[in-house]
Amino acid sequence: MNLNHLYYFRALAKEEHYTRTAKLLSITQPSLSHAISCLEEELGVQLFEKHGRNAKLTKYGKIFLRYVEQSLEMLDEGKRILMEASGVQGGFLDIGYIYTLGSHFVPEMLNHYMSEKGENQIHFSFGQGTTRQVVDQLKEGVYDFVFSSYVEGENDLEFYPVAEEELVLIVPRDHPLAAYQSIDLQDTIQYPYIAFAKNSGLRPVINQLFSQIHGQPEIVYEGEEDSSVAGLVAAGFGIAIIPKIPLLQTMDLSILNITSPKIKRYIYLVIKKNKYLAPAAKDFAEFVKKNYSVL
């Protein structure tokens, strides 16, 4: 069934006049008559009673019109939503990010974007998780892009470094190390550690730090996100290496700078290669790469 024929049918049912309808549709009257004839032939019923150039719906035409109007309204709504979703001046963006970015990096970046672009009617949807979780969801199509740690072996993904995250050592306030403002990691190995879970993108970074000093502390607990790790430390269960986020200032902790080994911890904008990005998503990604690239 030709979609244009259905639009023609709806217009003729409203105008009830062949000449006016053809003019309204910017087609010839013979083309309109042919379209209606094709519909009637396909359906096996007469849709209009003709009186010269006038046309009145038959009882079958009235029944069919109800369903045609519902169908075309749904199609028009779908077209509107699709155009809105894919347009630079409006759309829907699904963004995933790791837990440590939720309190400062992502809100500040969005504020910067909205300040520069103005009211562009883009609607944002956010999800959080570990690096492994958000990267897997990116590959599954849940997100347009994500912000996470680097992941080895992901050849179908592109990683753009957009932020450098400072790592610090946190200890309980009554801990022997709390008297220091900075620390060599070698001097912490004797103390039990709270570590990030193995599916966290931060875990390999921290493991590499200990490999550099040829030591490995005892890991007594693991946490999946920064607030749980910091909470365990504040409760006296161990010490931890963690991104320096504003949350730490509100907790019963001492924060120490790590002087050695030197740490380079990057956050990446991650995009799936060969994935179609709607104009709104592409515009946002280009904004991030332009304004936040750190290499």
Side-chain angles (χ1 to χ4, degrees):
M1 188 172 290
N2 189 302
L3 183 60
N4 283 336
H5 291 178
L6 296 180
Y7 280 108
Y8 297 168
F9 167 76
R10 183 177 66 174
L12 181 58
K14 180 180 179 180
E15 291 295 324
E16 298 184 335
H17 194 278
Y18 274 88
T19 302
R20 290 199 304 268
T21 303
K23 184 177 181 180
L24 179 68
L25 296 170
S26 300
I27 60 174
T28 64
Q29 185 175 323
S31 296
L32 176 59
S33 297
H34 176 70
I36 300 303
S37 296
C38 288
L39 270 178
E40 291 178 331
E41 183 178 347
E42 182 174 352
L43 294 170
V45 297
Q46 186 175 338
L47 298 172
F48 292 95
E49 293 177 351
K50 301 176 184 177
H51 304 282
R53 289 188 176 88
N54 293 320
K56 292 284 187 180
L57 285 169
T58 66
K59 69 174 183 178
Y60 304 110
K62 291 177 181 178
I63 294 172
F64 188 53
L65 178 62
R66 292 202 303 267
Y67 296 98
V68 168
E69 286 180 328
Q70 291 174 15
S71 300
L72 293 182
E73 285 173 6
M74 290 181 66
L75 286 171
D76 290 342
E77 177 69 5
K79 179 180 177 181
R80 182 192 66 77
I81 291 174
L82 182 62
M83 292 181 68
E84 182 181 87
S86 63
V88 174
Q89 295 305 313
F92 298 86
L93 294 187
D94 296 302
I95 301 174
Y97 54 86
I98 56 177
Y99 292 112
T100 57
L101 304 183
S103 63
H104 59 294
F105 178 77
V106 170
E108 290 170 5
M109 178 182 58
L110 287 180
N111 187 52
H112 183 189
Y113 177 75
M114 300 302 286
S115 296
E116 182 169 310
K117 298 292 183 175
E119 293 295 328
N120 53 9
Q121 298 181 330
I122 292 180
H123 304 279
F124 292 91
S125 174
F126 302 102
Q128 290 180 289
T130 63
T131 287
R132 186 72 269 166
Q133 288 169 342
V134 297
V135 165
D136 284 345
Q137 289 172 323
L138 171 67
K139 291 156 62 177
E140 293 166 3
V142 174
Y143 299 120
D144 293 302
F145 34 75
V146 301
F147 295 92
S148 73
S149 301
Y150 184 81
V151 182
E152 295 284 351
E154 292 291 354
N155 297 325
D156 293 331
L157 303 178
E158 293 179 303
F159 291 82
Y160 301 93
V162 294
E164 185 173 353
E165 198 168 48
E166 182 181 0
L167 297 182
V168 294
L169 182 77
I170 57 173
V171 302
R173 289 204 187 272
D174 59 355
H175 194 275
L177 296 178
Y180 299 91
Q181 292 184 338
S182 60
I183 195 77
D184 186 316
L185 209 58
Q186 186 71 53
D187 298 327
T188 70
I189 296 179
Q190 61 182 301
Y191 300 104
Y193 261 80
I194 313 296
F196 281 88
K198 293 181 177 64
N199 62 349
S200 166
L202 192 55
R203 182 67 175 268
V205 176
I206 295 174
N207 287 346
Q208 187 177 25
L209 292 178
F210 287 113
S211 294
Q212 291 181 47
I213 63 173
H214 307 289
Q216 182 63 45
E218 177 191 7
I219 295 175
V220 290
Y221 293 99
E222 292 184 351
E224 191 170 77
E225 45 87 25
D226 50 286
S227 62
S228 63
V229 170
L232 288 169
V233 173
F237 289 100
I239 65 176
I241 298 172
I242 192 171
K244 190 176 183 180
I245 55 177
L247 171 69
L248 302 180
Q249 302 292 339
T250 68
M251 304 182 73
D252 195 22
L253 298 166
S254 290
I255 304 170
L256 288 70
N257 295 321
I258 300 173
T259 58
S260 179
K262 297 298 182 182
I263 306 169
K264 287 289 184 180
R265 150 75 166 172
Y266 294 108
I267 299 298
Y268 296 82
L269 167 66
V270 190
I271 302 175
K272 190 175 181 181
K273 291 180 181 178
N274 303 319
K275 172 184 170 63
Y276 169 76
L277 286 180
K282 186 175 182 180
D283 180 68
F284 185 82
E286 290 302 318
F287 168 85
V288 173
K289 287 188 280 186
K290 175 183 176 181
N291 291 278
Y292 290 86
S293 178
V294 294
L295 292 179

